[in-house]
Amino acid sequence: MCLFFFEQVVSGINKGSNCGYHIVYSGTVAGAREAFFNDIPSISISYDWVEGKSNPHDFALAAGVCIPIISALLVEIKNQSYPGRCFLNIDVPNNVANHK
């Protein structure tokens, strides 16, 4: 029996958008960036929470839309085709159900 383990860091999902200058201050993006600096493939994920409009269930929807991206990344890592000098920053829109 042969087991393969693939390192990958998924940082997040945090409450709030991480785009523009926010990526400099984001702890979520910093987690992915630190993994990148250590040659570990990584993704930071943020959900664009809107006070009074968003609800906690939206985090489950946001995670669900990211699963195919994470799965594709794992396939690329396994096939050794993932570009080594990058990390992904995903911002999920606030109306997840209507932005497919």
Side-chain angles (χ1 to χ4, degrees):
M1 177 179 201
C2 186
L3 296 175
F4 294 95
F5 295 96
F6 305 102
E7 284 187 331
Q8 176 185 14
V9 169
V10 178
S11 182
I13 297 174
N14 77 300
K15 185 178 180 180
S17 179
N18 280 331
C19 60
Y21 69 89
H22 295 282
I23 64 170
V24 175
Y25 302 104
S26 167
T28 306
V29 176
R33 188 172 43 243
E34 286 300 315
F36 159 77
F37 288 146
N38 289 285
D39 296 320
I40 300 170
S42 57
I43 300 174
S44 60
I45 303 172
S46 305
Y47 170 66
D48 188 18
W49 180 274
V50 176
E51 198 64 44
K53 183 178 178 183
S54 301
N55 66 67
H57 176 67
D58 292 339
F59 283 103
L61 295 173
V65 300
C66 293
I67 295 299
I69 297 168
I70 295 167
S71 297
L73 179 62
L74 287 172
V75 169
E76 288 194 11
I77 293 168
K78 179 182 177 185
N79 295 335
Q80 298 181 347
S81 60
Y82 181 75
R85 299 302 303 160
C86 68
F87 70 92
L88 301 177
N89 178 39
I90 301 171
D91 267 341
V92 180
N94 62 33
N95 191 352
V96 179
N98 294 319
H99 288 94
K100 295 191 179 208

